[in-house]
Amino acid sequence: MGVFFSILALFFFYFLFSISKRLLATPKKLPPTPPSIPIIGHLHLIKKPLHRSLTALSNRYGPILSLRFGSRPVLLISSPSSADDCLSKNDIIFANRPRLLIGNRMAFNCSNIVWASYGPHWRNLRRIATVEILSSNRIQMFSAVRIQEIRSLVKDLFRDSELGKSVVELKSKFSELTFNVMMRMIAGKRYYGENVVDLEEGRRFREIVKEILAVAGASNFGDFLPFLGWMDLGGVEKRMVKLARERDEFLLALIDEHRRRRNKDGFSCEEGEEKKMKKTLIDVLLSLQETEPQYYTDHILLGMIAALLAAGTDTSALTTEWAMSLLLNNPDVLEKAKAELDIHVGPRLLDESDLSKLPYLHCIVNETLRLYPVAPLLVPHESSEESIIGGFNVPRGTMLLVNVWAIHRDPKLWVDPLDFKPERFQGSEGVKEGLKFIPFGHGRRVCPGAGLAVRMVSLALGTLIQCFEWERIGEEKVDMTEGPGLTMPKSQPLKAVYKPHHTMLNILSQL
Ligand code: HEM
Ligand SMILES: *[C@@H]1O[C@H](CO)[C@@H](O)[C@H](O)[C@H]1NC(C)=O
Ligand SMILES: *[C@@H]1O[C@H](CO)[C@@H](O)[C@H](O)[C@H]1NC(C)=O
């Protein structure tokens, strides 16, 4: 009898225990979410440009939102503290990338540095990028390339101006500039302007790159509604596959060309200064391949080169275009920048080694990146585990969008947020506290090309300000609306009036 009651009591206590455990456990608290529609989730709320419609959502529902893009759970962040939760405190958890069509089809099944998820493979690519390719040493080595390319742009502008006022369309000038700089670093060849080695080859590759940018900028609903993906509406996937194949054929031919040259020259000889200058990034990658051929296959090399081109060219060109547009609309800032150049550089052309003496120019670049961050939502991340963000539970496998554009224009964080005031970066308002200024992202996935980008943009802006007087066409301000596309292009390509600066005529005519 006693045994029976003991067993009963035991069951009873076990029962109580398991019930109370359920009741006491903190319930999962998901971030707030706007009303959604079955199957498509919140896709109906999304309009172009994406960063603007997402900003409207966070203004209405809060800085930490849980959304659904079709079948994909999304976490939308638009405050510095929640960005800190994702990109600092839970950095590793959010260091994955979602598998999107573009990564699968244009980045070797999501295996290049941009689209690979966190793990040994990505860590290795990242190490190569930061140590071998984009280190300050290597960037320094290519300084002459950037100087030559910007001077060649200035020379063209001078020739076309015939000493009077002329009009120039700057968007294409900047994209040719950054493309030439990147291709000379990568392969030692330029594809626009004079001394182009192979015109036909260049023309074909430029076409490919243009189309890749277009297809990458088109949002693809198949990423969020898998049943649409299977149907490939609009043939996006077919186009991607075709473009990726053409791009790879082209880059593979470049790699082969380098390989043949190395075999002929012999690659083990000592590294003189002369040789260092001619060493391209393909050479750097080929030396890695020679030491570890099983890992550094041609695919890995291709992936790295394609990633550098895709991530580095358009971004820097568009930032320069936005900066020039802002300067034209704010002539007082332009004047101040010119004065700084006059004092610290004087009557000779700007060199990269001068940049450290030009803090105001750097403030202009920062202020441009604040108002027009060309990756307004960073690149999407994805969580590999459950995490707690701002007190809410966020499940694993959630796609993270950080709305940098919204943070950079938040009136709670910035005084007169819509005004272009580079001076704010000199004062206390600047960048010191928290993640309120993150045009390059933050944490493990932060842009590895930030140093190169800032140099390229500053050098281009500084040299153009030095050499020419710039004005808007007519009285009206430059139209600052952004067009469709992931890297936030200007909707109207920038055109401006310019004439050579009288103090620079001598120098310009000697170029
Ligand atoms: C103004 C110019 C640029 C801006 C605003 C910019 C911004 C960014 C941003 C926001 C990201 C994503 C960060 C994240 O995932 O959280 C990124 C990634 C990246 N950027 Fe840049 N970038 C610029 C120029 C460059 C240049 C010049 C290069 C190299 C030549 C470069 C190479 C990369 C690479 C390889 C990644 C992927 C890193 C990874 O996923 O681990 N970027 N960039
Ligand atoms: C791409 O990667 C996934 C998972 O890593 C794998 O299942 C798939 O077979 C791969 N596809 C190709 C074409 O390599
Ligand atoms: C510009 O912003 C960067 C952060 O991206 C910061 O480190 C730097 O100090 C800023 N420079 C100036 C002159 O404000």
Side-chain angles (χ1 to χ4, degrees):
M1 220 38 182
V3 175
F4 177 73
F5 274 111
S6 320
I7 291 176
L8 205 67
L10 236 124
F11 268 112
F12 181 67
F13 280 118
Y14 177 74
F15 182 69
L16 262 187
F17 174 73
S18 53
I19 287 262
S20 60
K21 204 173 127 193
R22 283 241 186 109
L23 287 178
L24 290 177
T26 41
K28 302 260 180 218
K29 195 174 148 209
L30 295 173
T33 182
S36 63
I37 290 180
I39 302 183
I40 66 169
H42 296 99
L43 282 177
H44 63 296
L45 299 174
I46 306 305
K47 294 178 183 62
K48 281 180 182 175
L50 189 55
H51 55 271
R52 280 190 187 265
S53 60
L54 294 179
T55 303
L57 279 184
S58 353
N59 285 342
R60 174 135 185 231
Y61 297 98
I64 306 177
L65 284 185
S66 138
L67 301 173
R68 243 175 357 92
F69 288 0
S71 57
R72 205 178 275 266
V74 174
L75 176 68
L76 172 63
I77 290 298
S78 31
S79 73
S81 63
S82 49
D84 190 58
D85 277 356
C86 297
L87 302 177
S88 312
K89 297 198 183 85
N90 294 293
D91 188 10
I92 295 192
I93 292 182
F94 279 98
N96 279 1
R97 295 280 189 213
R99 293 188 75 91
L100 302 181
L101 187 65
I102 182 162
N104 280 332
R105 289 295 168 238
M106 309 225 55
F108 309 95
N109 207 3
C110 292
S111 69
N112 78 1
I113 179 171
V114 179
W115 290 104
S117 274
Y118 187 76
H121 174 63
W122 172 79
R123 276 203 305 271
N124 191 52
L125 294 177
R126 181 82 193 187
R127 186 179 55 78
I128 303 302
T130 48
V131 178
E132 304 276 354
I133 293 179
L134 297 165
S135 68
S136 39
N137 245 337
R138 186 78 64 194
I139 291 177
Q140 186 56 38
M141 268 184 225
F142 287 114
S143 140
V145 167
R146 292 185 292 276
I147 300 264
Q148 281 164 18
E149 287 301 328
I150 180 71
R151 289 191 183 172
S152 133
L153 167 59
V154 161
K155 188 175 157 189
D156 289 352
L157 287 175
F158 180 62
R159 191 196 53 216
D160 294 345
S161 74
E162 290 162 355
L163 309 182
K165 277 193 183 182
S166 1
V167 175
V168 59
E169 188 265 284
L170 284 169
K171 184 192 189 69
S172 55
K173 295 283 176 198
F174 293 151
S175 93
E176 289 165 15
L177 170 72
T178 56
F179 192 72
N180 270 347
V181 167
M182 289 302 292
M183 284 314 285
R184 279 185 67 184
M185 288 173 58
I186 289 169
K189 286 187 184 182
R190 65 203 297 265
Y191 288 93
Y192 290 98
E194 287 166 17
N195 304 326
V196 170
V197 189
D198 188 336
L199 263 177
E200 186 47 32
E201 174 186 298
R203 197 197 54 76
R204 193 165 67 91
F205 192 47
R206 268 150 46 191
E207 274 313 303
I208 297 173
V209 171
K210 238 195 215 154
E211 276 193 58
I212 288 179
L213 286 173
V215 79
S219 52
N220 176 44
F221 284 102
D223 281 326
F224 311 119
L225 302 167
F227 58 93
L228 288 185
W230 294 327
M231 295 192 268
D232 189 20
L233 296 175
V236 181
E237 184 164 9
K238 271 205 204 91
R239 250 174 90 203
M240 285 186 178
V241 172
K242 174 171 165 280
L243 285 170
R245 201 186 50 235
E246 288 175 356
R247 174 197 68 192
D248 296 346
E249 269 168 24
F250 179 87
L251 293 178
L252 211 52
L254 274 182
I255 295 178
D256 276 339
E257 203 180 299
H258 273 70
R259 194 181 277 130
R260 282 196 302 274
R261 198 165 70 211
R262 286 163 72 78
N263 289 340
K264 203 169 81 220
D265 293 356
F267 44 77
S268 54
C269 53
E270 87 289 6
E271 310 240 309
E273 273 307 305
E274 191 54 8
K275 200 138 193 168
K276 245 198 226 155
M277 269 295 291
K278 280 201 226 128
K279 194 164 175 177
T280 61
L281 295 182
I282 292 184
D283 286 319
V284 174
L285 290 167
L286 281 172
S287 341
L288 290 169
Q289 189 174 60
E290 278 145 19
T291 52
E292 226 184 304
Q294 318 86 293
Y295 182 75
Y296 294 103
T297 57
D298 279 358
H299 265 87
I300 296 274
L301 269 53
L302 276 181
M304 185 61 90
I305 296 168
L308 293 175
L309 276 175
T313 318
D314 208 32
T315 47
S316 313
L318 292 173
T319 302
T320 317
E321 191 191 359
W322 283 116
M324 267 316 263
S325 310
L326 286 163
L327 289 174
L328 289 172
N329 283 347
N330 297 271
D332 49 322
V333 176
L334 183 60
E335 204 56 34
K336 229 171 137 177
K338 176 79 172 74
E340 186 185 56
L341 284 156
D342 283 344
I343 295 170
H344 296 288
V345 185
R348 60 172 173 82
L349 281 176
L350 174 62
D351 193 273
E352 279 201 0
S353 55
D354 297 315
L355 290 178
S356 58
K357 292 179 286 185
L358 304 169
Y360 192 67
L361 182 62
H362 197 174
C363 290
I364 291 176
V365 175
N366 276 5
E367 181 71 342
T368 303
L369 288 166
R370 181 183 72 82
L371 282 168
Y372 298 93
V374 289
L377 300 163
L378 301 182
V379 175
H381 295 224
E382 189 177 281
S383 60
S384 55
E385 279 174 48
E386 184 176 326
S387 63
I388 295 185
I389 302 299
F392 299 109
N393 293 71
V394 174
R396 63 173 291 195
T398 300
M399 178 162 104
L400 168 70
L401 297 177
V402 180
N403 194 341
V404 173
W405 190 83
I407 296 176
H408 285 185
R409 288 167 177 242
D410 186 341
K412 294 193 285 301
L413 303 168
W414 306 92
V415 184
D416 301 329
L418 301 187
D419 290 357
F420 178 65
K421 283 197 296 196
E423 289 77 12
R424 68 174 91 236
F425 280 94
Q426 290 170 328
S428 53
E429 200 191 349
V431 269
K432 305 302 172 284
E433 79 276 12
L435 300 190
K436 67 180 220 182
F437 179 63
I438 45 170
F440 296 105
H442 182 81
R444 281 185 168 64
R445 285 282 185 172
V446 70
C447 174
L452 175 62
V454 168
R455 279 214 199 186
M456 256 201 287
V457 176
S458 312
L459 187 74
L461 275 184
T463 311
L464 291 179
I465 297 173
Q466 256 197 321
C467 295
F468 305 104
E469 287 173 32
W470 294 95
E471 274 171 39
R472 299 194 291 262
I473 301 179
E475 288 296 299
E476 258 176 63
K477 292 217 161 191
V478 175
D479 177 2
M480 299 299 278
T481 39
E482 60 269 36
L486 287 182
T487 47
M488 218 167 86
K490 243 174 116 302
S491 89
Q492 301 300 322
L494 173 65
K495 284 189 190 148
V497 178
Y498 71 102
K499 75 168 194 236
H501 233 287
H502 60 95
T503 53
M504 301 299 277
L505 282 176
N506 249 338
I507 295 169
L508 286 170
S509 52
Q510 279 161 26
L511 277 174

